[in-house]
Amino acid sequence: MWPYVLCFLLSCCSTRLASKFHKNKILYRFFSVIAIILPCVLAACRDSSVGTDVGIYGDRIFKKSLEMNFSDFIVHRGADYLYLLVVYLCSHSIGTLQFQYFVLQALTIVPFYTTLQRRESSRYAWVGMAIYYLVLFPYSLNLMRQSIAIALLFWGFKFIEQRKLLKYMFVVFVSTLFHTTAVVGVVVYPIVILMNANTLDFTAWNWYKKHKNSLWVKIANRYGVYISWIIILVTMFLLTQFSKVITILYSFSAEDYSHFYNQLQSSRSPIIVEYVALMLPIFVKYFLHKKYYDHANGEIRVLFTLSAMGLILYQAAKISAETYRVSLYFNIFLPLFVMELLRYTRKAKNRLFWMVLILICMAAFWYKFFVLESWCQIYPYTSKILGI
């Protein structure tokens, strides 16, 4: 366990120092490089047994790239073209698995790190990184293709904030070339727009001028503050009722859904109780001062909604080991949600209390699911290169 703990601590400390020296470009870049390189080295030096899908989407594809020419390897293998391109370039440049895993991890961590550091709440970027390491980083050692797609969509969130639809959709398109499930990112844009319809200025939009008197626009303008609850309820309803819709969206069999539905009807705990319990403090903090947070920064309500959707969709893991994947596209906003909550917590003592409580819960989450229950098969960490 100590390789993970050491890496997480050093990277978070470097992130904090980078935030502190944000105006000093030399020091900022120096500490940022350290914060980014550490998890990349950890990923690069791991044995093939660390990570469930490493043998298939890591080692095997790497070997295939050495045996095939460019056209046969990339063009004729189907989707995920950019992932295959990265693997091909890595195998035909340095030519080692370690270099490939280093690059793949860098493509995941760099977009996430830079997104946290460009926020006004970057003072708490180290907290965001800690949550990422404890909740989401293990998936990057397993779901390598999807983790890159998730990180790119998270980076592209700035285009949603800037209302630049075409740029955001381009990011979604690029992300789908790493993993097709990234098409889920399409729904994030309308969610944000609808939730902020009562505060945004749409008068410059030609489309708005033509449809401003339409019924749904009037509803969005008047009831935009309630959109988050509607979205959450719809998400829960779809998860528990519509097997056909979920089958199309998340690609699991109706038989698996039937098993899950029976659990919902007969089990007292049709949810992953530990997961909900450990995430609860974050949402409790928000609800204790909801009006204040929503007034201080309307985006917090958006981040709450996306994080809550991730929490709900994560319960699909009870249907199939694969179905929870879609939730990760929403869970990626959890670190940002916590950062914004801490930013607007006025008293230092309260801020410290919630910070410690949340990090303890996240550490318990990591230990419970990734150590004790061996999710993603990242524990124990072994490395022949490092002699571990």
Side-chain angles (χ1 to χ4, degrees):
M1 187 186 299
W2 69 264
Y4 290 117
V5 175
L6 184 62
C7 173
F8 296 169
L9 285 175
L10 292 178
S11 181
C12 289
C13 289
S14 297
T15 301
R16 178 66 186 99
L17 291 172
S19 301
K20 184 176 181 179
F21 297 108
H22 211 289
K23 295 182 179 180
N24 187 319
K25 291 184 178 180
I26 296 177
L27 290 177
Y28 171 74
R29 290 173 181 172
F30 173 75
F31 288 115
S32 292
V33 167
I34 294 176
I36 291 170
I37 282 182
L38 286 170
C40 294
V41 171
L42 191 71
C45 295
R46 74 188 191 271
D47 290 340
S48 298
S49 59
V50 180
T52 310
D53 294 340
V54 171
I56 299 175
Y57 298 109
D59 296 10
R60 187 180 300 177
I61 291 182
F62 177 83
K63 293 176 182 177
K64 285 288 184 182
S65 69
L66 293 173
E67 299 170 356
M68 304 170 67
N69 60 47
F70 181 84
S71 177
D72 291 337
F73 180 70
I74 296 178
V75 178
H76 300 298
R77 287 182 65 89
D80 308 332
Y81 296 109
L82 284 182
Y83 178 81
L84 295 175
L85 177 61
V86 171
V87 172
Y88 188 87
L89 293 176
C90 290
S91 64
H92 286 76
S93 55
I94 304 299
T96 65
L97 271 170
Q98 288 70 35
F99 178 69
Q100 172 185 291
Y101 291 138
F102 183 95
V103 171
L104 292 175
Q105 188 61 48
L107 289 174
T108 301
I109 203 75
V110 170
F112 183 81
Y113 178 87
T114 54
T115 299
L116 297 189
Q117 287 288 16
R118 72 164 179 251
R119 308 286 301 190
E120 292 184 16
S121 55
S122 61
R123 176 183 179 184
Y124 306 104
W126 72 272
V127 179
M129 288 297 292
I131 295 173
Y132 172 80
Y133 284 136
L134 295 170
V135 178
L136 296 163
F137 175 75
Y139 296 107
S140 70
L141 300 179
N142 175 27
L143 311 175
M144 295 172 287
R145 299 173 301 161
Q146 187 177 356
S147 294
I148 297 173
I150 292 170
L152 290 176
L153 285 178
F154 184 68
W155 176 84
F157 186 68
K158 65 179 181 181
F159 295 126
I160 297 183
E161 296 174 308
Q162 299 167 3
R163 311 297 178 242
K164 295 180 179 179
L165 175 59
L166 292 180
K167 289 186 177 181
Y168 177 71
M169 288 305 169
F170 178 73
V171 174
V172 173
F173 171 72
V174 172
S175 300
T176 59
L177 296 180
F178 280 101
H179 202 274
T180 52
T181 57
V183 71
V184 172
V186 171
V187 305
V188 177
Y189 193 92
I191 287 175
V192 176
I193 295 300
L194 285 172
M195 290 187 63
N196 291 287
N198 61 331
T199 59
L200 296 175
D201 181 14
F202 294 114
T203 55
W205 291 20
N206 292 329
W207 184 93
Y208 180 81
K209 292 177 181 179
K210 295 179 181 179
H211 299 85
K212 63 181 180 180
N213 293 320
S214 64
L215 179 61
W216 83 270
V217 170
K218 290 181 178 179
I219 292 175
N221 285 334
R222 185 169 182 178
Y223 301 104
V225 293
Y226 304 109
I227 293 294
S228 60
W229 297 109
I230 296 173
I231 292 171
I232 290 171
L233 289 174
V234 169
T235 304
M236 294 177 66
F237 188 66
L238 289 175
L239 181 64
T240 58
Q241 296 297 326
F242 286 104
S243 60
K244 291 183 179 179
V245 173
I246 299 177
T247 300
I248 294 173
L249 292 177
Y250 310 130
S251 300
F252 55 79
S253 68
E255 183 180 351
D256 289 333
Y257 178 82
S258 176
H259 174 69
F260 174 69
Y261 187 80
N262 290 333
Q263 281 187 319
L264 287 176
Q265 303 302 319
S266 61
S267 174
R268 294 183 179 180
S269 301
I271 60 176
I272 305 175
V273 178
E274 298 90 343
Y275 181 88
V276 176
L278 292 172
M279 295 296 171
L280 196 59
I282 298 174
F283 295 98
V284 168
K285 176 167 175 54
Y286 171 71
F287 282 115
L288 284 175
H289 305 285
K290 183 178 183 299
K291 290 185 178 180
Y292 165 71
Y293 286 129
D294 291 349
H295 178 74
N297 186 351
E299 190 179 62
I300 292 180
R301 187 173 67 251
V302 173
L303 296 174
F304 155 72
T305 303
L306 296 175
S307 299
M309 288 177 67
L311 178 66
I312 296 168
L313 290 172
Y314 204 91
Q315 309 310 311
K318 279 215 166 186
I319 307 171
S320 167
E322 302 299 321
T323 55
Y324 68 88
R325 290 180 179 224
V326 70
S327 72
L328 300 179
Y329 288 99
F330 300 97
N331 282 330
I332 193 68
F333 292 96
L334 189 66
L336 196 55
F337 180 40
V338 173
M339 285 172 56
E340 293 298 328
L341 290 178
L342 293 175
R343 175 191 173 194
Y344 287 100
T345 300
R346 286 173 287 192
K347 294 183 179 181
K349 289 183 178 180
N350 290 341
R351 188 162 52 243
L352 179 62
F353 169 78
W354 285 105
M355 192 184 303
V356 171
L357 177 61
I358 289 171
L359 290 179
I360 289 175
C361 288
M362 297 302 100
F365 174 90
W366 184 80
Y367 184 75
K368 162 67 178 176
F369 293 107
F370 298 113
V371 176
L372 296 182
E373 298 192 7
S374 298
W375 283 18
C376 297
Q377 295 181 9
I378 65 159
Y379 181 83
Y381 181 88
T382 58
S383 172
K384 294 179 182 178
I385 295 176
L386 300 177
I388 301 173

